[in-house]
């Protein structure tokens, strides 16, 4: 019994020593980094001082257009304050080519006499600072005075029908009549030598008209807020029907046609005038430059003739129907005009404003019974 006590004592001491040792951990499970004391989203590098989305170049957005030309929609650097000038121009087959129309912003074409299938143009200008010839200049008709009045334009003409001259005198409409202002007009001698009739030789020039207005104290200044009835938009899609080609027939199939074809490369329409045995481009006779039209506007109205079959009367107030052609498409429109001194207004079938493309406009005035406007 004495020998077993030391053995038991040693065993107890050994067990006690084992109980006091720190707990051992498998080395393979020990982390090699110190425990984190901050959020794990702390960046490991210095933050950048500029956002990574910073553009490398300045923005390329165009500044807003503050001013537009009221007859063409072209952007301007300052408000438009020029009163338009409308010149009655001969467009007879025997009077071709028409002179100076490349400078015009708007060109109206309208029938002038029931017999013979001929038309005239009313060319509207807002910049006359040139020496090119204009014309040939022809007489006033009531409807040409009315069309000039829709734009509050000075009216340039050579004489006129009794009714037109009475209208000018009665209303005091500002016009420049060659009969009383011959120094600002002249006969083109080259045309006379070439055998043109005298009616097809009277011309003027841009700067001659400017001098005439200055001499007669006819102020060419218009109010900044003058409105001429046109609203412009660069939006191309009218949601209309195709109009790559437009044929406008005046009178009957043996009469006069104005044909236009759309050029996709520049978005413009170019025209050809056709008679039964003649055709000419719608171009400026001074330069042979074709006239690019952004818009073709066809207005239909009531047209009547007097007993002699020559004098034409058109209803250009009230309301009527028409067609607007631009960007290879056409849509029906409605026009309205309350009085002879008011501009036209143009709306689409849903009542919204019809918008024109930026550029020149050709306007055809047709009888409302005319069936012959053809689109391809």
């Amino acid at each position: 019994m004495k020998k077993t006590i030391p053995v038991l004592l040693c065993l107890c001491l050994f067990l006690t020593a084992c109980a006091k040792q720190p707990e051992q951990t498998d080395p393979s499970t020990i982390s090699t980094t110190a425990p984190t004391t901050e959020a794990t989203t702390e960046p490991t590098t210095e933050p950048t001082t500029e956002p990574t989305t910073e553009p490398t170049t300045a923005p390329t957005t165009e500044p807003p257009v503050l001013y537009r030309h009221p007859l063409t929609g072209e952007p301007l650097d300052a408000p438009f304050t020029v009163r338009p000038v409308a010149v009655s121009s001969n467009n007879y087959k025997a009077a071709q080519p028409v002179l100076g129309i490349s400078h015009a912003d708007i060109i109206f074409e309208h029938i002038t006499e029931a017999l013979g299938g001929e038309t005239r143009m009313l060319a509207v200008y807002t910049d006359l600072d040139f020496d090119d010839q204009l014309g040939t200049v022809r007489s006033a008709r009531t409807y040409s005075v009315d069309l000039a009045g829709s734009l509050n334009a000075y009216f340039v003409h050579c004489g006129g029908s009794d009714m037109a001259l009475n209208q000018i005198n009665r209303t005091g409409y500002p016009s420049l009549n060659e009969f009383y202002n011959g120094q600002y007009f002249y006969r083109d001698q080259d045309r006379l030598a070439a055998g043109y009739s005298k009616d097809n030789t009277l011309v003027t020039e841009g700067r001659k008209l400017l001098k005439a207005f200055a001499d007669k104290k006819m102020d060419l200044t218009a109010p900044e807020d003058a409105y001429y009835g046109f609203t412009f938009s660069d939006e191309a899609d009218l949601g209309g029907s195709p109009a790559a080609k437009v044929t406008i027939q005046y009178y009957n199939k043996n009469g006069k046609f104005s044909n236009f074809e759309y050029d996709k490369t520049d978005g413009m329409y170019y025209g050809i005038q056709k008679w039964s045995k003649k055709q000419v481009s719608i171009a400026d006779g001074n330069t042979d430059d074709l006239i690019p039209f952004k818009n073709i506007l066809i207005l239909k109205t009531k047209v009547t003739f007097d007993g002699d079959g020559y004098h034409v009367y058109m209803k250009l107030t009230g309301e009527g129907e028409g067609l607007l052609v631009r960007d290879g498409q056409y849509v029906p429109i409605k026009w309205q005009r309350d009085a002879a001194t008011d501009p036209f207004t143009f709306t689409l079938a849903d009542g919204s404003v019809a918008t024109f493309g930026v550029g020149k406009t050709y306007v055809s005035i047709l009888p409302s019974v005319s069936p012959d406007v053809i689109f391809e």
Side-chain angles (χ1 to χ4, degrees), residues 65 67-75 227 229-239 262 266-268 294-295 324-329 346 348 352-361:
V65 176
Y67 308 104
R68 285 189 181 274
H69 192 297
L71 300 187
T72 66
E74 294 168 333
Y227 177 65
F230 295 92
T231 300
F232 295 92
S233 170
D234 292 325
E235 177 60 43
D237 189 4
L238 289 178
Y262 181 62
D266 62 4
M268 299 294 174
K294 183 63 178 178
N295 311 286
L324 172 60
V325 186
R326 56 170 286 199
D327 303 303
Q329 303 176 52
F346 310 103
L348 301 177
S352 61
V353 175
T355 56
F356 292 74
V358 175
K360 299 177 185 291
T361 298

Side-chain angles (χ1 to χ4, degrees), residues 180-202:
Y180 311 108
N181 301 278
Q183 67 270 36
Y184 307 109
F185 301 80
Y186 60 95
R187 298 287 173 181
D188 185 320
Q189 297 302 308
D190 290 337
R191 286 197 167 215
L192 287 171
Y196 283 77
S197 69
K198 190 175 180 180
D199 286 346
N200 299 328
T201 62
L202 184 67

Side-chain angles (χ1 to χ4, degrees), residues 3 43 48 87 236 260:
K3 292 182 180 180
T48 59
V87 180
F260 296 88

